[in-house]
Amino acid sequence: MAANTIPLNKFRNFGIIAHIDAGKTTTTERILYYSGAIHRMGNIDDGNTTMDTMAQEQERGITITSAAITTFWRDHRLNIIDTPGHVDFTIEVERSLKVLDGCVIVLCGCSGVQPQTETVYRQADKYNVPRIGFINKIDRLGADFDRVVGEMRERFGANAAGIEFPDGTEDKFKGIIDVINEQYIQYTDADGMEYNRIPLTPELQEKTKKYKTELIERLADVDDEMADMFLNGKEPSKQQLMAAIRRTVVACKFIPVLVGTALRNRGVQMVLDAIVDYLPNPIEKAAMKGHDPDDKENVVELKSDPNLPPVGLVFKIASDPYVGKIFYTRVYQGTFVPGQNYLNSSNGKKEKIAKIVLMHSNKQEIITSASAGEIVSLVGLKESKSGDTLCSEENPILLEGLTPPEAVVSLAIEPKTKADQDKMGMVLRKFLDEDPSLRVKFDHETSQTIISGMGELHLEIIVDRMKRENNLDCNVGRPEVAYKEAITKEVNGIVGKYVQQSGGRGKYGHCVIDVKPGEPGTGYVFVDKIKGGAIPREFIKPIKEGIEIGAQNGILAGYPVTDFTVTLVDGSYHDVDSDEMSFQLAGKQAIKEAFRKANTVFQEPVMKLEITVPEDYWGNVIGDLMTRRAQIKETGNRGALKTAVANVPLAEMFGYANALRSLTQGRASFSMEPAYYAQVPNQLAEKIIGARQEVAARSN
């Protein structure tokens, strides 16, 4: 079916999100098979799935980058994005959810709601993305449909209810009961292509009525029409029930839950039906808002109309060995065509689209235009990066960009040969374009290039890709924690003055600032309170930039300083000698002086750790955690297993996977994600500063 013949109300732009190993990629693979996009199902273990095309993904059996593909079901066009589940690649989920109209959240039938499931759920909340739930692996040992639905309500605070439930679990799983149609879905072949809908037995009829009553009650809590019928004792028809589910899903007030086992090819067609029946089309999704690039107060609501001026958001950049950079773009309004010039309103530069392609994982289909509601890839852009807005030059509109998470782990890296120094710079620039969560800086104290990211695996993949994709061998230091410095008290009236006289025209910059600690996570905030033209407007920005540069290297050990507010209160200038550079240097000088007076302390990233352990090993595991400065927050039971949630400094968790394997004979599992930054104990801080000074002395 030709993509451009399908009306916009039959589009579904959705993603598959979940914790690592819940079965996202396997579910996506089955969706593609049953919808006819592929003719042979791949498996994670065989490394031959359609969406995991990177060698690193195939070897590790995990998704690293989000992949897009288009398929069709019941005359609807489905644009699918399969996202990673590992916390190190959470930016991939973030930027995908930003542009999607809906998502399928996959949960493991035995592990239930896991830490990264909560993270992706919160990300979906942040962007108001409607959701449907799919409880996968219902045939696994320890699987329990009702328990997982209960965890969704408890841990997400979600209004969730089953529109299906399984007939049996674990090795007794036989089929699926459709609550809305009150039918039994019985598969008749191993590939899951053929199934029958048959009447329910009296026992299952009784059970189905309970699930249906609960479904109606949950809908009545959030939908007026259902509430009216429920209070008046009326039984809704199938059409009324489905319409209510759709209304409440689109409004992000309800999550219908389905069940199955993607690996055994059961239940995926019903997920496809639910995507078509309940997830919104681009017209129904709450309108994206932008604003005039020169006036934030002038807010513009975009419309999914192909005839209006075009507006699109570049949400991901990938490199293709044959065509160069590919810019994944969601079109919100209007129509983009190749060969025309457009404005990148994020940086004010002009761009020309060479060609537009539809992505089918790593394969491309050239198309003649891209209209509102579509997710496409653009080729030929020169000045754009992730989070940038493309629009017409005559009607500039700016959309909200991406806010990358903070890096928590760093590596020192250098090419094995001097000749590769320039090559390494080019390769790292390419990776920075593709991955907003990666950071690169040159440490002048140690004369090393430092790459920072979301975790050990994140940086390991970057180094591996340098070698495989770019034939670049590097010497790599061991992973280090991305420490920060922070101030603890307010200081006022700090002067930064840069004056230089060398015959002829001199240099003059002078500013006065107040500095105070900010709330955690606020970063650097700059407030301009200059009155009466004490400093001309054109010199305010250089002061702000100088302070930002000064904050990149703190006074304790050269780590970045964060979470502080600077208020520019006074200053002066010289009619002839003042220039932008003088004020930038004055700002840098002022912030360094402020840090010296504001009681700077060390901070380290603390991780939220969730661990599942057989009872026999519980004591050993908890004892080991206590030696790692862990704070146990809660403990519980999950069947025959014990669980714990703890906060642990990242510095203590390097190599933990191997340690846990040794302690439990490989029978425990864990996951962790960044939680917050906390002050480092004084004794440890002194060690870190000492080690840093030693490295700097050796490099000099």
Side-chain angles (χ1 to χ4, degrees), residues 112-161:
V113 175
Q114 296 165 280
Q116 187 63 7
T117 328
E118 291 188 63
T119 302
V120 296
Y121 188 88
R122 286 196 301 270
Q123 288 172 314
D125 263 351
K126 177 180 172 183
Y127 295 112
N128 290 318
V129 181
R131 279 143 274 186
I132 60 177
F134 176 54
I135 296 177
N136 190 27
K137 302 187 180 184
I138 201 65
D139 58 327
R140 289 280 187 90
L141 187 66
D144 185 333
F145 178 79
D146 292 332
R147 173 175 58 77
V148 179
V149 174
E151 285 183 11
M152 290 175 73
R153 293 169 185 163
E154 182 187 332
R155 296 178 67 169
F156 296 158
N159 181 25

Side-chain angles (χ1 to χ4, degrees), residues 139 167-175:
D139 58 327
D167 179 18
T169 55
E170 302 180 344
D171 56 355
K172 294 185 177 67
F173 171 63
K174 300 189 213 52

Side-chain angles (χ1 to χ4, degrees), residues 635-651:
T635 59
N637 296 294
R638 187 172 282 164
L641 301 170
K642 291 187 79 67
T643 63
V645 177
N647 290 337
V648 196
L650 177 62

Side-chain angles (χ1 to χ4, degrees), residues 299-572:
V299 176
V300 182
E301 195 169 278
L302 304 183
K303 293 176 183 169
S304 295
D305 184 338
N307 300 312
L308 290 174
V311 182
L313 183 76
V314 176
F315 67 94
K316 175 181 164 70
I317 300 174
S319 295
D320 183 279
Y322 303 107
V323 298
K325 283 185 185 175
I326 294 174
F327 297 80
Y328 287 79
T329 305
R330 166 70 195 261
V331 184
Y332 285 104
Q333 180 178 282
T335 301
F336 288 93
V337 292
Q340 286 200 14
N341 289 323
Y342 296 96
L343 173 70
N344 180 327
S345 55
S346 302
N347 59 23
K349 295 183 178 173
K350 291 182 182 179
E351 290 280 32
K352 188 171 188 175
I353 299 171
K355 66 176 177 178
I356 304 175
V357 297
L358 265 188
M359 295 303 295
H360 300 284
S361 188
N362 61 342
K363 297 182 178 66
Q364 300 156 16
E365 173 195 343
I366 297 175
I367 55 176
T368 54
S369 65
S371 296
E374 296 194 60
I375 293 176
V376 297
S377 293
L378 309 179
V379 179
L381 306 184
K382 306 289 185 196
E383 304 287 349
S384 298
K385 60 182 192 298
S386 290
D388 282 2
T389 305
L390 287 179
C391 58
S392 70
E393 295 179 70
E394 298 77 23
N395 296 84
I397 291 175
L398 183 62
L399 303 176
E400 184 192 10
L402 291 164
T403 308
E406 293 185 40
V408 294
V409 177
S410 299
L411 276 181
I413 188 169
E414 63 180 20
K416 285 193 173 173
T417 64
K418 288 278 184 196
D420 279 339
Q421 190 71 48
D422 289 342
K423 185 178 179 182
M424 188 178 85
M426 288 170 58
V427 170
L428 286 174
R429 272 194 293 278
K430 183 188 87 166
F431 287 155
L432 284 168
D433 284 342
E434 294 178 13
D435 184 353
S437 63
L438 181 68
R439 308 279 192 282
V440 178
K441 72 167 188 172
F442 185 76
D443 190 324
H444 292 281
E445 282 190 31
T446 61
S447 299
Q448 292 175 313
T449 298
I450 307 293
I451 61 172
S452 305
M454 297 301 296
E456 286 180 271
L457 181 61
H458 184 198
L459 299 183
E460 185 187 317
I461 296 293
I462 293 291
V463 173
D464 193 33
R465 287 183 63 195
M466 289 174 107
K467 184 174 181 180
R468 292 199 200 197
E469 296 173 17
N470 302 279
N471 199 26
L472 181 63
D473 271 325
C474 291
N475 296 318
V476 179
R478 68 183 192 85
E480 290 187 5
V481 173
Y483 292 106
K484 286 183 184 175
E485 298 178 22
I487 60 171
T488 59
K489 76 171 188 180
E490 185 172 345
V491 290
N492 296 318
I494 305 297
V495 177
K497 199 164 192 176
Y498 181 75
V499 182
Q500 196 177 56
Q501 291 295 336
S502 54
R505 185 176 172 178
K507 297 279 186 184
Y508 184 91
H510 168 225
C511 63
V512 182
I513 60 173
D514 296 341
V515 183
K516 65 178 181 180
E519 290 295 316
T522 54
Y524 159 43
V525 178
F526 180 82
V527 181
D528 171 16
K529 284 200 176 172
I530 290 295
K531 290 177 183 169
I535 301 174
R537 304 309 309 162
E538 65 265 27
F539 297 140
I540 303 293
K541 189 178 177 186
I543 293 170
K544 181 182 177 183
E545 288 169 350
I547 292 167
E548 193 167 4
I549 292 165
Q552 287 171 7
N553 297 95
I555 57 165
L556 291 178
Y559 289 107
V561 185
T562 189
D563 298 337
F564 63 95
T565 299
V566 174
T567 305
L568 179 62
V569 293
D570 201 2
S572 62

Side-chain angles (χ1 to χ4, degrees), residues 206-217:
E206 197 61 38
K207 199 172 178 183
T208 304
K209 279 196 168 39
K210 287 180 185 171
Y211 278 96
K212 196 168 189 178
T213 302
E214 184 178 38
L215 171 62
I216 293 166
E217 286 177 2

